[in-house]
Structures are given as C-alpha cells and as structure tokens.
Amino acid sequence: MHAPGSCARLAHLAKLVDTDELRLRIAGRFPLDDIRTAHESFEAGGLLGKALITF
C-alpha cells in the first residue's frame, strides 16, 4: 500500500538526483554482514550523512 501521489514524488526525487540538483551525502558504506560496525560508527559521532548498507 502506498500514499496517493507517492510514485510521482519518488520519480521527481529520482530526477533531481539524476540531474545533480539533489545530492545525497553518504557517510559510509557497510556490508549487511557488518551492520554492527555501521551502527557503532554513527553512535561514536563525527559522521555526517547516511549509511549505505550493501547486500
């Protein structure tokens, strides 16, 4: 189930990312098997942005 218009909003955000009008700050990349390290890194502070968890 999704909210009305959510597909259009997501498409708009994707376009902004594709055209570099919206940039995502990724603080770190972590494999799923090492999720504990990702959590500890953010708890320790000093990282700005999002954690990218890879499969």
Side-chain angles (χ1 to χ4, degrees):
M1 185 171 212
H2 65 280
S6 61
C7 291
R9 290 181 193 153
L10 182 58
H12 178 68
L13 287 174
K15 180 182 177 187
L16 293 175
V17 170
D18 287 343
T19 59
D20 286 332
E21 294 178 63
L22 176 64
R23 293 190 180 166
L24 305 176
R25 181 178 289 212
I26 299 173
R29 290 175 170 81
F30 304 89
L32 183 60
D33 293 341
D34 201 16
I35 194 80
R36 180 182 300 260
T37 300
H39 190 343
E40 291 170 349
S41 295
F42 278 87
E43 277 192 338
L47 296 177
L48 298 175
K50 302 295 182 188
L52 178 64
I53 309 301
T54 58
F55 294 90

